[in-house]
Amino acid sequence: MLHKHVDSDEILKHAGESPSRNHTDRGKHVSTLAYGSRYATEGIPKFRLPDQSTEAQAAYQLIHDELELDGRPNMNLASFVHTWMEPEADKLIMENISKNLSDQDEYPATMKIHAKCISIIGDMWKSKGAVGTATIGSSEAVQLGGLAMKKRWQARQRAAGKDTSRPNIIMGNNAQVALEKFARYFDVECRLIPVSADSQHCLDIKKAAEAVDENTIGIYVILGSTYTGHFENVEGMSKELDRIQEEKGWDVPIHVDAASGGFVAPFAFPHLKWSFELPRVKSINTSGHKFGLAYAGVGWVLWRSEEYLPKELVFTLTYLGASEQTYTLNFSRPACFMIAQYYNFVRLGRQGYTSIIKNDMHNARLLSHALENCGYFDIVSDMHRAKGVFGYERKSGLDAIKESVKGITEYNEALPVIAFKLTDDFKRENPHVKQAAVSTLLRTRGWIIPNYPLPPNEESIEILRIVVRESFSQDLVDTVLSDIIWAVETLASSETGFDAEIFAQKTDPIQHAHKLDHPAHEGRKKKYGSQC
């Protein structure tokens, strides 16, 4: 059978200009038939509200398909945020997704669960009189902790007839940006203490003590650095501040930013002193959506007692028929994720949390040893080393592993985080291989493993980082190890360097997106992103 070539582009062009098409297309919208995108005949405006409604099934399919381009959560090894919960927890979330945590009178049972969570966390952190609140996350919680320290300092200064205009707060320059935001947003001088290998890439307590003066409102001490997973020395910092108070009379409190470590230390290192058993620690925050094993949207901040939460910060308001006390930056917020946190408390208990966290630590140590053993990497994190042994410069390779595992009874206190870098020997032998390219090449296998510099003062050192969460099984340890070695060996065997910068975003994605919604030429129809 013979057929003649058909110029489809020409046919579509003429069809688009056809008066009949212009007539019949008027009022069309996305179809709900079997697979919505299969029957879409018009472009969908991406950056303005569409003129027409879209059927629910088709709208779902459009958005579902677009989100398929996201990375897979269980292969996202960059994030501390928990990405999986049991079906029963998912069910509770959906049953309560419409509840507002701020409506205390309307949802009294939800408020009782909130109170139970505060009591459970306070007990876990060794305070019987703790007071606190749920937050959207640790970023909100550290603002609240910092504000309380500032107000207490101001009250003390005024009582002594002293100036209150120059408060300062101290933290390591490895601090997450939320801590620096507090200082900038609330007019507090931020004294950043340089980190180094000698301080395990986090707060140097001796240098922090030197920075203290009578205007210091407090010190942020981080239980789990986002860079390398190291725990900062809360007890050591407390002793330094005890000495300063004895010598100079300055009573400087500690706020522990336990965003990640607040649900790790009690179960992996139960004898570590870092929480309210230290009188110097006045407040602590954590993220329930990290190692608290809930979904994103819940954090916690607690004070050791009401004495340390200034009453001027607590609002009593009448809302929807009830009087309630509130101390948050947000008002309306979802209750369902707080309920999911309580589900974990009831479901897992101390036994369950201990089992999960210890399993995370085991898998992180296993992968650390394996990466060190392959010979391509130095391990910058120290969670797999014997307690008190720090630094990859000490030794590398098989000898270090044999020394590390032989007779070990205690490990360094840290998060289940692996920070690693290419060895200097490898870089000398393969100058064309850029470490950032390892991260980029692993994306082709689905893995999200970031590459970034250490904090200022150490920014010449770049690290790759893996966060081991509950969903990162031992099978995945084997798989990611093989893929990392594959990426390194592929890059090393290439004749020319692979420049990861080629794939970097060169334009502002927001500006670029809005350009798509502008007229291509004056007087012509707007161009919209087309549906495929």
Side-chain angles (χ1 to χ4, degrees):
M1 186 178 291
L2 296 176
H3 291 90
K4 185 178 180 180
H5 169 72
V6 175
D7 188 338
S8 58
D9 290 337
E10 195 67 16
I11 289 174
L12 288 172
K13 178 182 176 183
H14 287 300
E17 296 170 351
S18 167
S20 62
R21 175 177 171 82
N22 291 336
H23 174 74
T24 56
D25 278 354
R26 195 173 297 131
K28 269 193 175 183
H29 54 83
V30 179
S31 169
T32 60
L33 293 175
Y35 195 85
S37 60
R38 185 183 296 173
Y39 297 98
T41 55
E42 290 190 347
I44 306 300
K46 290 185 177 180
F47 306 108
R48 68 172 178 84
L49 195 64
D51 295 328
Q52 301 291 335
S53 299
T54 300
E55 296 293 341
Q57 182 181 344
Y60 163 80
Q61 196 66 57
L62 282 167
I63 298 168
H64 170 86
D65 292 350
E66 186 170 357
L67 291 173
E68 286 288 286
L69 299 175
D70 276 342
R72 293 177 58 187
N74 70 323
M75 298 182 76
N76 177 8
L77 306 185
S79 178
F80 286 89
V81 176
H82 195 65
T83 57
W84 176 85
M85 293 192 76
E86 293 177 318
E88 291 80 4
D90 292 344
K91 185 178 180 182
L92 274 173
I93 288 169
M94 293 311 301
E95 288 173 353
N96 293 278
I97 200 164
S98 60
K99 290 183 180 177
N100 185 348
L101 191 55
S102 294
D103 293 352
Q104 297 188 24
D105 187 57
E106 284 69 24
Y107 306 123
T110 298
M111 291 305 106
K112 288 180 181 178
I113 286 177
H114 179 274
K116 291 176 183 177
C117 287
I118 294 296
S119 181
I120 289 169
I121 297 170
D123 182 70
M124 187 171 71
W125 292 344
K126 303 183 179 177
S127 172
K128 299 300 181 183
V131 58
T133 182
T135 62
I136 293 297
S138 281
S139 293
E140 179 187 4
V142 294
Q143 312 301 312
L144 300 177
L147 270 173
M149 289 194 294
K150 180 181 177 181
K151 292 297 183 181
R152 291 188 72 247
W153 172 82
Q154 287 176 326
R156 190 169 62 245
Q157 290 289 96
R158 281 194 292 266
K162 296 182 178 179
D163 179 46
T164 62
S165 64
R166 295 179 297 156
N168 68 73
I169 191 165
I170 295 169
M171 65 192 81
N173 66 357
N174 61 311
Q176 207 265 357
V177 68
L179 280 65
E180 292 187 61
K181 280 183 179 180
F182 162 74
R184 188 177 300 182
Y185 290 173
F186 294 101
D187 295 322
V188 177
E189 178 194 349
C190 184
R191 295 186 175 178
L192 291 172
I193 307 302
V195 304
S196 66
D198 290 338
S199 65
Q200 287 81 61
H201 315 287
C202 54
L203 183 69
D204 186 318
I205 61 173
K206 296 293 185 182
K207 291 180 180 177
E210 292 170 3
V212 170
D213 62 27
E214 68 174 342
N215 293 321
T216 301
I217 68 170
I219 297 184
Y220 278 137
V221 184
I222 303 168
L223 198 75
S225 170
T226 57
Y227 285 89
T228 59
H230 287 92
F231 284 179
E232 294 182 344
N233 188 351
V234 184
E235 185 178 18
M237 189 75 257
S238 178
K239 290 178 179 178
E240 286 293 318
L241 294 175
D242 288 344
R243 176 184 60 78
I244 288 171
Q245 183 173 8
E246 186 176 338
E247 292 175 359
K248 300 184 178 180
W250 303 332
D251 184 7
V252 180
I254 289 174
H255 174 94
V256 179
D257 174 22
S260 296
F263 279 101
V264 172
F267 308 111
F269 311 103
H271 302 298
L272 179 67
K273 290 185 178 181
W274 67 274
S275 58
F276 291 128
E277 74 267 42
L278 298 172
R280 187 67 56 179
V281 174
K282 310 302 186 188
S283 52
I284 304 171
N285 70 273
T286 195
S287 296
H289 55 234
K290 293 179 181 174
F291 291 99
L293 310 180
Y295 291 131
V298 61
W300 303 94
V301 58
L302 274 67
W303 290 264
R304 64 184 306 115
S305 69
E306 289 186 72
E307 174 188 354
Y308 299 99
L309 178 54
K311 295 194 185 310
E312 63 186 292
L313 293 175
V314 179
F315 285 81
T316 300
L317 59 126
T318 301
Y319 181 66
L320 299 179
S323 292
E324 57 188 67
Q325 289 190 319
T326 177
Y327 176 41
T328 57
L329 298 180
N330 293 289
F331 190 67
S332 292
R333 57 202 193 278
C336 59
F337 301 114
M338 183 276 296
I339 292 169
Q341 179 79 85
Y342 184 63
Y343 169 84
N344 279 340
F345 291 160
V346 173
R347 166 75 175 93
L348 297 173
R350 184 170 293 276
Q351 179 189 36
Y353 268 105
T354 300
S355 176
I356 290 168
I357 297 301
K358 285 191 172 181
N359 190 58
D360 292 346
M361 303 299 291
H362 172 79
N363 286 338
R365 290 182 185 119
L366 183 67
L367 183 54
S368 296
H369 289 312
L371 288 168
E372 204 166 41
N373 191 30
C374 78
Y376 297 139
F377 298 105
D378 290 322
I379 310 302
V380 181
S381 50
D382 291 302
M383 57 84 59
H384 65 302
R385 297 189 173 103
K387 186 171 182 176
V389 177
F390 299 100
Y392 62 87
E393 300 91 345
R394 182 180 54 87
K395 275 187 181 181
S396 62
L398 189 58
D399 289 340
I401 295 168
K402 288 178 178 176
E403 182 178 323
S404 293
V405 299
K406 184 179 179 181
I408 246 183
T409 56
E410 288 187 86
Y411 293 92
N412 287 318
E413 295 97 353
L415 300 176
V417 166
I418 307 137
F420 57 108
K421 70 175 192 68
L422 291 169
T423 67
D424 292 340
D425 287 344
F426 179 89
K427 288 188 281 190
R428 276 192 296 270
E429 294 168 7
N430 303 274
H432 62 290
V433 175
K434 295 184 178 181
Q435 190 167 288
V438 177
S439 175
T440 302
L441 196 54
L442 285 168
R443 287 272 185 150
T444 67
R445 295 283 176 96
W447 299 109
I448 303 173
I449 299 175
N451 180 81
Y452 57 92
L454 285 174
N457 197 49
E458 292 191 290
E459 65 268 27
S460 61
I461 301 174
E462 290 186 345
I463 58 170
L464 295 151
R465 191 198 69 191
I466 290 175
V467 179
V468 175
R469 305 190 305 274
E470 182 185 7
S471 56
F472 191 60
S473 66
Q474 201 163 116
D475 285 342
L476 289 180
V477 170
D478 295 338
T479 304
V480 76
L481 175 65
S482 298
D483 285 346
I484 290 170
I485 292 172
W486 161 80
V488 172
E489 292 181 347
T490 298
L491 292 167
S493 63
S494 63
E495 294 182 1
T496 57
F498 174 80
D499 189 358
E501 287 297 312
I502 293 173
F503 296 93
Q505 184 72 48
K506 300 298 184 184
T507 59
D508 182 341
I510 302 300
Q511 290 183 6
H512 177 71
H514 283 290
K515 286 178 183 177
L516 297 177
D517 213 17
H518 290 167
H521 299 287
E522 189 173 344
R524 292 184 61 185
K525 186 179 178 182
K526 286 186 177 181
K527 300 286 187 180
Y528 303 115
S530 297
Q531 181 188 1
C532 300

